[in-house]
Amino acid sequence: MAGEKIRILIVDDIAETRENIRKLLQFEADFEVVGVARTGKEAIDLSQELKPDVILMDINMPDMDGIAATEAIRRKLSFAQIIILSVQNDPNYMRRAMLAGARDFIFKPPRIDQLSGTIRVAGAIAAEERSKQTPVAMPGMMPGMMPGMMMPAMPKGKVIMVFSPKGGTGCTTIASNLAVAMVNEETKVALVDGNLQFGNVAIFLNEQGKNTIIDLAPRADELDYDIVKEVMIANAASGVHLLAAPLRPEHAEKVSGEQFGKVLTFLRQMYSYIIVDTPAYLTDVVLSTMDVADLFILVTSQDIPAIIGAKSFLSLTDAMRINRKRIVFTMNRYDKRVGNPPEKVGEYLKQEVVSVIPLDERIVINAVNRGVPFMIDNKMQPIGRSIAALADTVKDTLAKLDAAENEKPLR
Ligand SMILES: Nc1ncnc2c1ncn2[C@@H]1O[C@H](COP(=O)(O)OP(=O)(O)O)[C@@H](O)[C@H]1O
Ligand SMILES: [Mg+2]
């Protein structure tokens, strides 16, 4: 809700560290440090009592480590989002932290911009999770529900980011056709244009974006189902709902990364899949999308600039501790007469190409020029079948990730 502060609990066994973090956070008007804990056990007790949105958790503490405390807290207080702070630069630690249910991982000493950005994203997620547990009726969401009835936990939609570090590789083609492949009666799909300056998703679907992200961004803190439904453009030909880019490039700057992230987080309540098309460079909007994305479709082609770009992106995601299992590496415009086949590129980047989409200029260009995604009328062609296979890969990968998350970490 607008104006509500993010309530934060700091957990660290060293008094000076606790104090330093508290000082860093006190200048942020939307943060409130509601408590500090010195041990893992104290953190569990205090989180029960204070019900914070975000917990900043140290790893090494005398009684119980931060990972065990994280797991215990998440079990009791499922909306609370835990950010691990650690000097440990050990991927194994991070993996265990993530498996225990931590939201994010930051190295000590934290930089204020990084820390506050991470806390805001975590705070937005906590607010969303909390609202699911609050007994309010959401208009239109649950027909037949009486006010005051407990909302059952809504299935949480998955955010899928489609990215290529080189323009023209086929992100928009893939994002729009994948959306069409995934939508059906029971599975609602949102297609979001994350290219705010020169986004063209609306053109791919032959929709004139009368409403755009500009209509939602200023209300990012007070979104509700009706507002969002009004702004989303329902594409009659496919059933996909589109959130269009601003109509003029100079309006792009009216949308902050933070607002964009909050909109995506809200869309999780309304759609099973939220597919975000992105530009070929890292804007604040793209970085916010990376923060909330469950899955990344990294698109390459057979040319060296695209391959080198993919390599840089993978080093970035490695540095951000994004699990490589969350990356669906896709080769588009595949032509067997050209060098750099998928196996070779996969080997070179140490990331297997799991989806290959053939070059088919006739079908692709016709589809764009008519504004009818080829998944509507050409889905039995090889290119259509390759997108259908990509949709299956995406679903399988998400299911595997969910299964791994529910698995208890071995200790
Ligand atoms: N598999 C493909 N076969 C042939 N042409 C393609 C294919 N995928 C994309 N294209 C074409 O390549 C160009 C760029 O595609 P687009 O999806 O707009 O890329 P991006 O969004 O990454 O900039 C477009 O002209 C599109 O029609
Ligand atoms: Mg594009």
Side-chain angles (χ1 to χ4, degrees):
M1 225 174 278
E4 258 184 34
K5 292 191 178 188
I6 300 174
R7 307 177 73 250
I8 302 164
L9 173 68
I10 300 171
V11 186
D12 202 299
D13 57 330
I14 298 168
E16 196 191 333
T17 312
R18 291 195 301 269
E19 197 45 31
N20 285 345
I21 297 175
R22 212 179 53 78
K23 277 191 193 139
L24 274 181
L25 300 180
Q26 71 188 0
F27 298 107
E28 307 289 326
D30 52 337
F31 292 174
E32 184 184 351
V33 175
V34 291
V36 292
R38 290 162 301 180
T39 67
K41 291 218 168 65
E42 211 174 277
I44 298 172
D45 293 343
L46 270 181
S47 62
Q48 278 297 100
E49 192 182 309
L50 301 168
K51 308 218 182 316
D53 299 304
V54 175
I55 301 170
L56 302 177
M57 179 78 78
D58 182 28
I59 284 202
N60 288 320
M61 289 181 291
D63 63 334
M64 174 194 261
D65 76 9
I67 293 174
T70 295
E71 205 185 350
I73 293 170
R74 289 282 298 168
R75 219 179 282 137
K76 291 182 182 159
L77 205 65
S78 58
F79 62 79
Q81 301 297 312
I82 300 171
I83 299 168
I84 303 274
L85 266 80
S86 173
V87 284
Q88 306 279 352
N89 189 356
D90 178 351
N92 192 38
Y93 257 115
M94 299 186 193
R95 201 183 134 261
R96 285 180 49 214
M98 294 303 167
L99 285 171
R103 162 65 41 191
D104 220 322
F105 204 102
I106 288 183
F107 295 129
K108 282 181 177 173
R111 289 200 341 254
I112 180 61
D113 53 337
Q114 186 193 24
L115 185 62
S116 56
T118 307
I119 291 175
R120 285 200 181 95
V121 171
I125 295 165
E128 186 211 323
E129 299 284 317
R130 209 195 263 271
S131 72
K132 284 182 201 161
Q133 303 176 356
T134 316
V136 288
M138 282 199 198
M141 282 208 79
M142 286 266 153
M145 271 195 73
M146 302 293 284
M149 220 185 238
M150 199 65 181
M151 281 287 286
M154 293 292 295
K156 203 169 161 215
K158 302 291 187 188
V159 175
I160 301 164
M161 166 166 149
V162 185
F163 181 80
S164 167
K166 181 172 171 269
T169 312
C171 287
T172 310
T173 304
I174 291 174
S176 53
N177 283 286
L178 181 67
V180 177
M182 296 188 90
V183 73
N184 61 44
E185 282 294 309
E186 296 92 56
T187 316
K188 291 192 172 13
V189 175
L191 178 59
V192 179
D193 201 335
N195 185 347
L196 297 192
Q197 284 193 345
F198 295 103
N200 49 9
V201 179
I203 299 170
F204 275 62
L205 297 183
N206 197 20
E207 293 287 355
Q208 274 69 46
K210 42 186 190 318
N211 295 324
T212 74
I213 179 77
I214 293 285
D215 302 294
L216 287 184
R219 296 188 266 187
D221 285 312
E222 46 192 22
L223 294 174
D224 67 39
Y225 177 84
D226 289 329
I227 297 178
V228 176
K229 186 157 188 282
E230 208 182 295
V231 174
M232 301 295 292
I233 301 168
N235 179 240
S238 67
V240 169
H241 286 192
L242 164 69
L243 181 54
L247 299 173
R248 298 161 61 112
E250 66 269 30
H251 289 168
E253 63 194 39
K254 291 189 182 173
V255 182
S256 72
E258 197 183 331
Q259 290 168 333
F260 195 83
K262 283 181 179 166
V263 169
L264 292 182
T265 300
F266 189 87
L267 290 177
R268 286 180 193 275
Q269 297 176 39
M270 294 174 58
Y271 296 91
S272 303
Y273 300 105
I274 300 109
I275 300 176
V276 189
D277 180 34
T278 54
Y281 41 90
L282 298 175
T283 60
D284 283 351
V285 162
V286 173
L287 290 171
S288 292
T289 306
M290 289 180 76
D291 273 340
V292 299
D294 298 285
L295 197 86
F296 298 82
I297 297 180
L298 174 61
V299 187
T300 187
S301 48
Q302 284 159 284
D303 54 305
I304 297 292
I307 297 167
I308 300 290
K311 188 169 194 240
S312 318
F313 183 73
L314 287 169
S315 13
L316 174 71
T317 54
D318 285 347
M320 289 171 78
R321 307 287 161 188
I322 290 172
N323 187 341
R324 288 235 185 172
K325 293 202 174 94
R326 288 165 61 193
I327 297 172
V328 172
F329 194 23
T330 299
M331 179 176 279
N332 187 31
R333 312 176 66 107
Y334 172 62
D335 182 347
K336 64 173 185 304
R337 296 165 302 181
V338 179
N340 300 328
E343 309 76 52
K344 208 176 131 193
V345 174
E347 215 169 280
Y348 174 57
L349 300 192
K350 301 194 174 49
Q351 177 79 23
E352 191 189 348
V353 175
V354 290
S355 151
V356 177
I357 297 160
L359 178 80
D360 191 330
E361 238 128 39
R362 192 183 57 84
I363 290 185
V364 175
I365 296 174
N366 267 325
V368 178
N369 288 348
R370 289 183 301 137
V372 180
F374 58 75
M375 283 312 278
I376 293 181
D377 53 1
N378 269 312
K379 64 178 177 205
M380 295 319 281
Q381 297 296 322
I383 189 163
R385 278 187 276 142
S386 71
I387 295 281
L390 172 60
D392 287 340
T393 303
V394 164
K395 285 184 232 165
D396 282 357
T397 310
L398 286 167
K400 279 188 197 136
L401 289 164
D402 271 351
E405 208 164 277
N406 292 331
E407 196 178 281
K408 289 278 163 286
L410 298 170
R411 184 169 308 118

